[in-house]
Amino acid sequence: MVTSAPKLDEATLKQRIQTSPKDTANYFMLARLYEDAGDMARALATLETAVKAAPQEANVYLQLAGFHNRRGDFDKTMDALTRRTGIEPGNPEAYHTMAAYYWEKAYRDTALSDAEKRDYIGRGLQAADQAIALNPDYFEALTYKNLLLRSQA
């Protein structure tokens, strides 16, 4: 029988944050607790506090991007991912992640105009090219570049 770890309550998570303010996992759990309860303002505020607590930690930007993406705010999603590349300019995965989000948006969002799709594809190609420039053998980035080029065609 597999059991999952018990969910922590708000008070416990807040206490953990106060005790270990640099441990971002507690912020993420608290933000998810708020998000699951439908309190998006508190979830966002908690994630923004995590960014302030650990501005050089890439995962805070990934968590923030994920939150915005679940909310359907693509511009804020990409802003968080761009902020990540600012702290990890030499990490090809940071750029690859952006390329993947751009492809996903252009490919799946049927409400986009052709011009918007072209713009997102172009941005995705730029991000994929940056990842490949940092690691020419980065298979995932090469794969997404292929997908983006096919979409562009």
Side-chain angles (χ1 to χ4, degrees):
M1 182 171 156
V2 176
T3 59
S4 61
K7 277 194 162 184
L8 298 173
D9 63 24
E10 178 183 17
T12 301
L13 290 168
K14 283 183 172 183
Q15 180 187 14
R16 285 183 169 191
I17 288 168
Q18 192 171 23
T19 302
S20 301
K22 298 286 184 195
D23 184 356
T24 56
N26 294 313
Y27 293 96
F28 303 153
M29 287 187 283
L30 182 59
R32 192 55 167 216
L33 186 76
Y34 290 143
E35 187 176 350
D36 290 347
D39 192 343
M40 299 309 157
R42 286 173 79 183
L44 178 57
T46 301
L47 290 171
E48 288 174 344
T49 302
V51 170
K52 290 176 186 167
Q56 296 302 310
E57 185 180 314
N59 198 29
V60 297
Y61 301 103
L62 288 171
Q63 294 293 324
L64 187 59
F67 171 80
H68 288 305
N69 195 52
R70 288 187 298 278
R71 303 294 307 140
D73 192 331
F74 189 71
D75 290 337
K76 288 184 180 178
T77 298
M78 297 314 295
D79 178 60
L81 293 175
T82 299
R83 290 169 65 191
R84 177 189 177 198
T85 64
I87 64 161
E88 294 188 307
N91 181 357
E93 195 272 331
Y95 297 100
H96 162 65
T97 301
M98 291 181 70
Y101 271 85
Y102 278 123
W103 177 80
E104 185 77 22
K105 180 70 171 172
Y107 186 75
R108 303 216 185 273
D109 190 341
T110 58
L112 293 177
S113 69
D114 287 343
E116 289 170 318
K117 285 181 184 180
R118 279 192 300 275
D119 181 53
Y120 288 142
I121 290 167
R123 291 178 190 206
L125 284 167
Q126 287 175 348
D129 285 342
Q130 287 176 296
I132 294 165
L134 291 167
N135 180 358
D137 297 323
Y138 191 7
F139 178 77
E140 292 85 354
L142 292 165
T143 300
Y144 269 86
K145 182 170 183 176
N146 180 349
L147 291 169
L148 287 156
L149 286 169
R150 287 174 183 235
S151 296
Q152 186 180 47

